Amino acid sequence: TVADLKGLKQGQLRLAVITTAKYIIPRLLGPFCQLYPGIDISLQVTNHERILERMIGNMDDLYIMSQVPEHLDVHVEAFLENPLVVFAPANHPLAQEKNIPIEKLVDQPFIMREPGSGTRRAVQSLFEEHGIKVKVKLELGSNEAIKQAIAGGLGISILSRHTLLTDSSEFSILDVQHFPMKRTWYMVYPSGKQLSIVARTYYEYLLEAAKKIVEHEVITSVPQQTLHSKSE
Ligand code: PGA
């Protein structure tokens, strides 16, 4: 009944998500809170390594991350793609090139995420796989700060495509071989943990919301024409 839905589902929901998920999770919390006004939420946004620490410390109900922890016994469910792409300023010389060899990235000043970042780890293992070494000009602990640095002409970087959801006209996504790098967001919690009713409700809500997003292709389509508009 409606009373079950609205009245009985009360309490605290503690979420901890990796930095890329902040571009979507807060937005999805709006409709959820309208459905369940009795649920109060705390949302921690931090990098992969800190999420792991929080999980080991049992500090939250649910976690969102892109890389499944290897040494922890966890329940895992994939719910959305989190592709990594090569970001450059809109007027970058390579912005109009197609099928750029990955080796060409070594000529570009590169902006790297901080140690502990899952994005950084994924980028480094791709570079290792192809035996290339980029020139790291700047290391930054935030996707937003990296975007500002790119827009300011400091260099290029590899970031989740989700970080581009709002302000796309300042950037181009370079068409580099092996990109987009496929990654996935997972909902994760320790296997031994009994989810609260509130956490279970959110878990199911997020799965449904993700399905709708995929159906409407809100996330998977990139408006290329707006991305290149400044350089044309
Ligand atoms: P990060 O997480 O903030 O640790 O880079 C993003 C990811 O792993 O996809």
Side-chain angles (χ1 to χ4, degrees), residues 18-20 47-48 66 82 113 117-119 183:
I18 47 166
T19 63
T20 52
N47 71 21
H48 177 84
S66 301
N82 178 29
R113 281 283 306 277
S117 149
T119 304
R183 299 192 92 214

Side-chain angles (χ1 to χ4, degrees), residues 17-21 45-51 64-67 82 84 113-122 141-143 159-160 183-185:
V17 310
I18 47 166
T19 63
T20 52
V45 180
T46 187
N47 71 21
H48 177 84
E49 205 156 288
R50 298 230 176 84
I51 295 280
I64 291 173
M65 58 206 318
S66 301
Q67 197 179 331
N82 178 29
L84 296 183
R113 281 283 306 277
E114 78 287 0
S117 149
T119 304
R120 175 191 174 108
R121 204 198 291 182
S142 133
N143 299 312
L159 296 173
S160 163
R183 299 192 92 214
T184 306
W185 278 330

